Amino acid sequence: MSQANPSVGPWALWRDRLLKLQSDKPHLVLLGLMLFLAFLAMDPATWFVLTISGMAMGTMLFLMASGMTLTFGLMSVLNLAHGAFISLGAFVGAVMLTGALGVYTVSPSLGWNLLAILPALFAAMAVAGVVGWLFEVIVIKPVYGDHLKQILVTVGGSIVLIQLIEVTWGANEIPVPRPGALRGAFVIEDWVPLIGGLVMEKFRMVALLLGLTVYGLMLWVIDRTRLGILVRAGVENREMVEIQGYRIGLLFLGVFIAGSALAGLGGAMWGMYREIITAHMGEELMISVIVIIILGGLGSIRGCFYGALLVGLINLYIGYIEPRLAAVATVGLMVGVLMWRPQGLIPVIKV
Amino acid sequence: MLQSILSGDLPRSRVLSVALIAILIALALGPFLFPGTRAFATLGMICVFIIVVAAYDLMLGYTHIVSFAHTMFFGIGAYGVALGIGHFGSGFGAIFIGILGALLLSAALALLLGLLSLRVKAIFFALVTLAVAFAFLSVVTQMYHITGGEDGLRVRVPRELGPAFRPLDSVTGFDLFGFLGVLFTQPWNLVDGFRDAFFTVRFTGRTLMYYALFLFAGVIFLFLLRLVNSPFGRVLQAIRENEFRAQALGYRTVLYRTAVVILSALLTTFAGALFALFNRYVNPENTLNFELMIFILLMCVLGGMGTLYGAIIGAVVFVVAQNYLQDVLGALSEAVNVGGFVGSLIEPSHWLLWFGLLFVASVYFFPSGIVGQLRIWARRREVQQAVAERQAESSARERLT
């Protein structure tokens, strides 16, 4: 553009670049803007801690939200019962951690802890996945293609699932023990410049690592494998994939099960993070999940990840400045982004 | 006469007509037929929910706009009255100011939501309203110095609407269910049962408030019935069936959609205000909770979307189930008395489980709800009768020739 009009100075060039950036990479612009504004509003050490914690929270939210966004993207099924799977995962994880594997949980050594944590997370994923399978076949399959009925049926199904959780594990809050080795915090050595002497909670680091690993795995599956190609093609044009002879129903079922399992995983992690769970926790988390998938653009894994980071960060930043406004800020962020880009940050489908 | 009161939208099913008349009588004479505070509260909640669900049906059933922010408007109305009375003392002026303020706020918020729905597609709207309603709930819960937080606010209603006001003394009521119970269980004691069924009604300001509520519910319902059978209502149904086509015919569907969202919000706000005056206690749980939103959705769908009569049927069925299904389940679990998982399935506190199952099943098998299904059956019977008559006619004619 600057070639076409040689009279523009360097400022106009930069403005053009910025405009291009905000239309090409809105997620990075927004993320950078938020980090920058927060950096101005607080001292660097607090900012660093909050940023890391916010990203940890964001990656946990990403685990929960990714399934829902893919479900919508692939089959345009809006599953409002997704929160129930989060609760389910949290309860299964908690039962594993306190029940048979309780001995390993309380041990202070990481090796023994892993003997409890890995089966707990695996069980949470397995149970949520199996229930998700049943849920898809029994509840959702009959109402493909009808959004209104999907909303109604999944709301009803969500009530039933949450009630069943209450029937099985009681209506009261359940404390979840955090594994021994993950309690407490790291202290960064004093000699490290800028961030020396900071205290980082261990569990958040683990959550961040796990979240990033899952995100990396999902990107690999979506970008590099045959399965991923099919999923992406299905999101873009379902009928075309069907015409090629692929059984999109089966593919969708697989995605739904994986999404439910991830919700269960996120729920189990969230339970360990909060150290207390209720059957209704999934419903409360659904708000964040919904904001995330709207922010990211329905159906987009990358958008979902950045949306989750944004929601996690704004929650902690605003929660630090004025705790009472955290929820409002989250929803405000969503409304603002919708006004700016109604299709979400990284849209992949035309709804 | 009846045609013009009901705006030409008759129940169109004999069973439905009978049920509606029974409900009308029960609500009109309620305080004189069902003794006890619990029954009184149930009657009041039915009236409140008839307004709320009918207004919701205007959006969901007639225009296919799925909104989860309905409780937000309900809460605005309830808190508006509570705050008005809290600030200006318990007079009717304070109530008026409170309602006015609440209506203005609701209209502004609904306009914003409606404008937002311009920018996003229909399916987004449901999600956006869900998030906005949640943010509102969190604001109300957090601003405890104004709204009382989780504890909520007590509404000191004017003396004329409170229990201390006694305009009428010693009115006699007739305990219908008590009498029916005697009639079916011990008919030999019929005379005694008949005598025992009479009870003294405490006709207080609360009873007056109930009748005000009943009156408003009736008027608003008839207004909505008029609205959906007007040209405006036809356009809404056109939008529901095919928005693109309605647009192509030259209707500004966005205008209509926004108008419906605002109107529904205003009516719900008003219902919230009436609820605050009737219940005399307002907190986030009874006005803003997400569960309440789901209940409204359940009532609307169960009664029958797109049929305003469904709002009445749905509200009655749900509120009665909410209040009395627990008793039934309690009796059942005592009678069956099995422990373990199966036992806890029929525990009274898990009534919602059964209602949820019923709801899912009804969406599959009776998607048009109770009212819609009754109308379908009535129509089918009519058609069958017409066919039978024509056959009889033609066979008679054959016999003549």
Side-chain angles (χ1 to χ4, degrees):
Chain A
M1 265 212 230
S2 52
Q3 269 91 8
N5 187 358
S7 68
V8 294
W11 285 113
L13 191 73
W14 275 105
R15 206 196 57 203
D16 278 357
R17 278 192 191 157
L18 269 179
L19 281 177
K20 194 161 150 36
L21 191 69
Q22 69 100 23
S23 69
D24 285 355
K25 299 207 165 18
H27 52 293
L28 293 181
V29 171
L30 201 57
L31 196 62
L33 198 66
M34 192 182 286
L35 290 173
F36 180 66
L37 285 180
F39 188 73
L40 294 183
M42 54 191 80
D43 62 295
T46 324
W47 177 81
F48 188 77
V49 173
L50 286 180
T51 305
I52 298 291
S53 313
M55 287 170 92
M57 187 177 165
T59 50
M60 275 190 276
L61 289 174
F62 165 72
L63 291 180
M64 302 171 201
S66 54
M68 192 167 163
T69 197
L70 267 189
T71 318
F72 189 89
L74 191 61
M75 220 63 179
S76 110
V77 163
L78 191 64
N79 179 17
L80 288 181
H82 202 71
F85 293 102
I86 298 174
S87 301
L88 186 65
F91 272 84
V92 172
V95 166
M96 293 292 281
L97 284 177
T98 51
L101 303 167
V103 204
Y104 301 126
T105 312
V106 289
S107 147
S109 115
L110 185 64
W112 289 115
N113 281 167
L114 283 180
L115 271 184
I117 298 171
L118 291 180
L121 293 184
F122 186 74
M125 288 179 75
V127 172
V130 169
V131 175
W133 179 36
L134 294 176
F135 195 77
E136 206 278 335
V137 172
I138 298 172
V139 179
I140 295 185
K141 194 153 246 168
V143 290
Y144 275 173
D146 185 341
H147 278 153
L148 181 64
K149 273 192 183 172
Q150 280 163 16
I151 290 176
L152 301 178
V153 162
T154 54
V155 163
S158 166
I159 295 177
V160 173
L161 281 180
I162 286 175
Q163 288 292 317
L164 283 176
I165 291 174
E166 282 193 359
V167 168
T168 317
W169 287 294
N172 296 326
E173 297 174 333
I174 290 185
V176 183
R178 202 179 271 186
L182 301 183
R183 282 180 206 154
F186 300 116
V187 178
I188 298 174
E189 300 290 334
D190 281 331
W191 51 264
V192 181
L194 279 178
I195 54 168
L198 287 184
V199 181
M200 303 293 305
E201 224 177 302
K202 280 183 196 168
F203 185 78
R204 297 190 184 210
M205 309 303 286
V206 175
L208 184 59
L209 274 180
L210 182 76
L212 288 176
T213 315
V214 171
Y215 177 55
L217 268 177
M218 279 180 89
L219 277 188
W220 178 72
V221 170
I222 295 271
D223 284 347
R224 305 278 161 154
T225 63
R226 187 164 187 78
L227 186 70
I229 290 177
L230 285 179
V231 169
R232 271 185 296 151
V235 168
E236 203 133 304
N237 193 335
R238 189 193 325 155
E239 278 151 12
M240 214 56 181
V241 177
E242 274 182 305
I243 288 171
Q244 304 289 333
Y246 292 103
R247 294 169 64 184
I248 193 115
L250 214 58
L251 184 67
F252 175 68
L253 185 62
V255 169
F256 194 93
I257 292 172
S260 308
L262 281 174
L265 177 66
M269 291 296 289
W270 193 263
M272 277 190 262
Y273 168 57
R274 277 291 152 98
E275 298 183 84
I276 198 153
I277 53 174
T278 67
H280 290 277
M281 64 175 269
E283 281 181 350
E284 286 147 28
L285 283 166
M286 269 304 271
I287 302 301
S288 299
V289 168
I290 284 171
V291 170
I292 288 168
I293 63 174
I294 290 183
L295 274 182
L298 285 175
S300 147
I301 283 290
R302 273 192 184 76
C304 180
F305 182 72
Y306 284 101
L309 287 188
L310 286 170
V311 167
L313 286 174
I314 201 170
N315 246 306
L316 286 195
Y317 288 151
I318 301 292
Y320 172 73
I321 296 167
E322 172 59 73
R324 283 181 275 171
L325 289 181
V328 182
T330 312
V331 174
L333 177 72
M334 178 196 72
V335 172
V337 169
L338 276 180
M339 291 294 178
W340 173 34
R341 289 175 69 90
Q343 69 277 42
L345 291 176
I346 312 181
V348 290
I349 41 162
K350 304 158 281 295
V351 203
Chain B
M1 171 73 180
L2 197 62
Q3 281 275 351
S4 64
I5 289 179
L6 297 181
S7 315
D9 189 0
L10 297 176
R12 295 208 302 274
S13 154
R14 206 171 300 155
V15 184
L16 181 60
S17 312
V18 171
L20 286 174
I21 290 169
I23 289 170
L24 183 68
I25 293 172
L27 288 181
L29 302 176
F32 303 98
L33 289 180
F34 315 108
T37 49
R38 192 172 157 202
F40 185 71
T42 308
L43 288 169
M45 287 314 292
I46 289 176
C47 290
V48 169
F49 276 124
I50 284 177
I51 308 179
V52 174
V53 177
Y56 193 64
D57 197 25
L58 192 63
M59 282 197 297
L60 182 68
Y62 281 91
T63 331
H64 270 195
I65 298 175
V66 187
S67 158
F68 285 105
H70 213 57
T71 43
M72 178 171 83
F73 299 118
F74 188 69
I76 288 174
Y79 273 96
V81 166
L83 291 174
I85 287 180
H87 280 277
F88 303 107
S90 38
F92 286 98
I95 295 177
F96 182 74
I97 293 174
I99 292 182
L100 199 68
L103 287 177
L104 286 177
L105 179 64
S106 280
L109 278 175
L111 184 66
L112 276 180
L113 274 180
L115 289 179
L116 197 67
S117 77
L118 275 178
R119 297 280 287 167
V120 299
K121 291 287 184 281
I123 190 82
F124 271 80
F125 189 70
L127 301 179
V128 171
T129 51
L130 187 58
V132 170
F134 174 74
F136 187 80
L137 169 64
S138 111
V139 168
V140 169
T141 317
Q142 307 276 355
M143 308 248 273
Y144 44 83
H145 51 282
I146 299 176
T147 60
E150 299 268 357
D151 297 334
L153 295 171
R154 186 170 288 286
V155 185
R156 281 174 288 105
V157 292
R159 192 178 157 275
E160 287 79 9
L161 302 177
F165 181 62
R166 306 290 292 270
L168 292 170
D169 270 337
S170 69
V171 193
T172 310
F174 183 74
D175 180 3
L176 189 66
F177 280 135
F179 176 66
L180 286 179
V182 171
L183 185 68
F184 285 116
T185 52
Q186 30 190 210
W188 52 90
N189 276 341
L190 204 55
V191 183
D192 284 343
F194 188 71
R195 209 180 305 129
D196 290 345
F198 287 99
F199 68 100
T200 321
V201 181
R202 279 171 46 90
F203 196 94
T204 63
R206 278 178 57 73
T207 324
L208 276 184
M209 183 58 223
Y210 169 75
Y211 276 106
L213 184 59
F214 172 70
L215 208 67
F216 276 120
V219 169
I220 290 178
F221 180 79
L222 291 178
F223 163 70
L224 281 174
L225 207 56
R226 175 68 265 184
L227 188 79
V228 299
N229 289 295
S230 68
F232 180 80
R234 291 280 170 250
V235 178
L236 297 187
Q237 289 169 46
I239 292 175
R240 172 183 71 186
E241 297 305 330
N242 191 338
E243 179 166 2
F244 187 64
R245 202 164 159 191
Q247 238 165 3
L249 285 171
Y251 292 105
R252 296 193 172 185
T253 56
V254 166
L255 224 59
Y256 281 87
R257 284 219 316 250
T258 313
V260 163
V261 171
I262 293 176
L263 182 66
S264 173
L266 290 181
L267 290 176
T268 311
T269 308
F270 191 66
L274 291 174
F275 167 78
L277 291 174
F278 180 75
N279 199 42
R280 295 182 300 158
Y281 175 58
V282 173
N283 69 358
E285 203 183 334
N286 65 14
T287 56
L288 290 166
N289 214 352
F290 183 63
E291 202 162 59
L292 189 71
M293 185 61 244
I294 301 223
F295 288 170
I296 294 171
L297 190 69
L298 289 186
M299 284 182 240
C300 190
V301 174
L302 213 61
M305 287 183 290
T307 59
L308 276 181
Y309 294 110
I312 298 182
I313 303 286
V316 170
V317 168
F318 185 87
V319 176
V320 169
Q322 190 184 20
N323 283 289
Y324 297 98
L325 189 64
Q326 302 192 29
D327 293 359
V328 175
L329 281 177
L332 190 69
S333 70
E334 254 174 46
V336 179
N337 199 17
V338 282
F341 188 71
V342 183
S344 58
L345 276 182
I346 51 173
E347 234 169 55
S349 57
H350 296 130
W351 68 279
L352 203 53
L353 171 70
W354 297 101
F355 216 87
L357 284 175
L358 184 70
F359 174 70
V360 174
S362 80
V363 173
Y364 284 144
F365 302 115
F366 306 104
S368 41
I370 297 174
V371 170
Q373 200 59 35
L374 284 175
R375 282 180 168 175
I376 289 173
W377 281 336
R379 179 94 194 105
R380 205 176 287 162
R381 196 182 309 139
E382 259 172 38
V383 170
Q384 276 168 358
Q385 266 173 3
V387 168
E389 265 171 33
R390 201 162 302 157
Q391 275 173 351
E393 228 171 71
S394 61
S395 64
R397 207 174 299 143
E398 269 171 27
R399 235 177 289 140
L400 278 178
T401 55

